[in-house]
Amino acid sequence: MNVSRFFITIDFSKMWIHTFLRIFHDRFKELALPLVTLALTQSPLVTALVLLSQQVGTILFSIPIGTWVERRNPVIVSSCGSILTGLFMFGLAYAVSLDQTNAIVISFLLCALGIVSLFHSTAFHIMVPKIVGRQRLLRAHTLLETADAIVTLLGPALGGYLLATYGASATLAICGGILLTASIFLISLRYDYTKPAFRKKEPVKARLRMFATESVEGLIFLFGNSAQRASILALTTLGFSTVFITLTLIFHASNTLEFSEQAIGLLLSSAGLGNIIGVLIMNQFKQSNWLYLLVVLLVLSSLGVMLLLTGSLWLMCFGMILFDGALSMGFVVQIAVHQGITPDSLLARVRSTTYVMGGVVSMLATVSSGLLTELNSLVALGFGSLMLIVPACFLLRYRHAGVRLHELQPLENVITN
């Protein structure tokens, strides 16, 4: 069987398998850590504050890491980042297994985990366009989203079972083992890397100034044209909603509705069914204007959140199908646009800048979820629905920047309107 028929290239198939396993790690961790921390602190707000420590490193170090990674072999950087993340998960599992584990220890480990993950994510991101080619970016990201869909369908339910049966420590240890296994597929990648010339004769100060200048260039490009600004608005909306709704739903189902771990896992797994539906129909929209498509997807996702207010398990499952199905399609469109209009020379720097923004948004979403859920979880879910509708309306301001997805081209001129 020709693997390129499904996975574009052999090397992309390795990236896909790595992504598949890494998302399993993410889904287990996303379910286990909030419940573990909530059990320790007995407060959604304190739990949220602990969880946002993952984003501290993202905000502080994303831009310099992106500039640094751009001059390194991304296969080596991504592989080492993945291996170290797996080892940190074993450390976190050990910490949780101790009776004296507290919120401070978990916060410290999560902060370190976030920094190491940055190296992996940035390097992985810049490999995709070079391995598959720009003309196949939408297909590539649809396939990567398919991995997310399959795991989101199976992962939370399996994670809930593991938590209920074996406990948090064993579940987190399994996360580490999965990630170390995933690293094998990155190490075996064949990637055409050309080492850039190193300016040995330049003074340290001159090199630092050049480093700072190159870092700022990514930020300038990110806001230098309408298409990028619209893409960033979509990215921040999608990122906020993913964190806010998922965390709020866990708090709401656990504290207010008193659902079991298995029921919470079923709810989160329903999102995976929505993901699968989304990726199956994604190719039907490759001729669509990306901006209008994003607007429609955000509105549909908001309608899904409204169903979470019903309190009925099955209606909430359907709401998660609609919410996450539309959201997953939105992520595919946004990342295809983001990479499609960014020149190769700026991919790492621009991506690292978006990590900073994503970190800030994720922190805001985490704190907002904890604070609003502490007051009233139904109000929190209503707020989450509103935060999808408002940006969807605001996106229409950039309608002149929208083109058909297959017409995306790099914008070499960073200051365009």
Side-chain angles (χ1 to χ4, degrees), residues 394-408:
F394 197 78
L395 267 178
L396 294 173
R397 176 185 176 185
Y398 300 105
R399 56 186 176 275
H400 62 279
V403 298
R404 296 179 186 274
L405 282 165
H406 69 282
E407 297 174 352
L408 291 170

Side-chain angles (χ1 to χ4, degrees), residues 194-215:
T194 302
K195 187 176 181 179
F198 184 69
R199 300 182 287 269
K200 293 183 178 180
K201 296 182 179 180
E202 292 183 353
V204 174
K205 288 185 178 180
R207 277 183 281 162
L208 288 176
R209 282 197 299 270
M210 179 62 69
F211 186 89
T213 300
E214 291 174 348
S215 298

Side-chain angles (χ1 to χ4, degrees), residues 125 235 334-335 338 346-355:
H125 171 82
L235 175 65
Q334 190 280 325
I335 191 62
H338 173 76
L346 291 170
L347 274 172
R349 282 173 279 170
V350 169
R351 186 60 175 175
S352 64
T353 305
T354 65
Y355 284 146

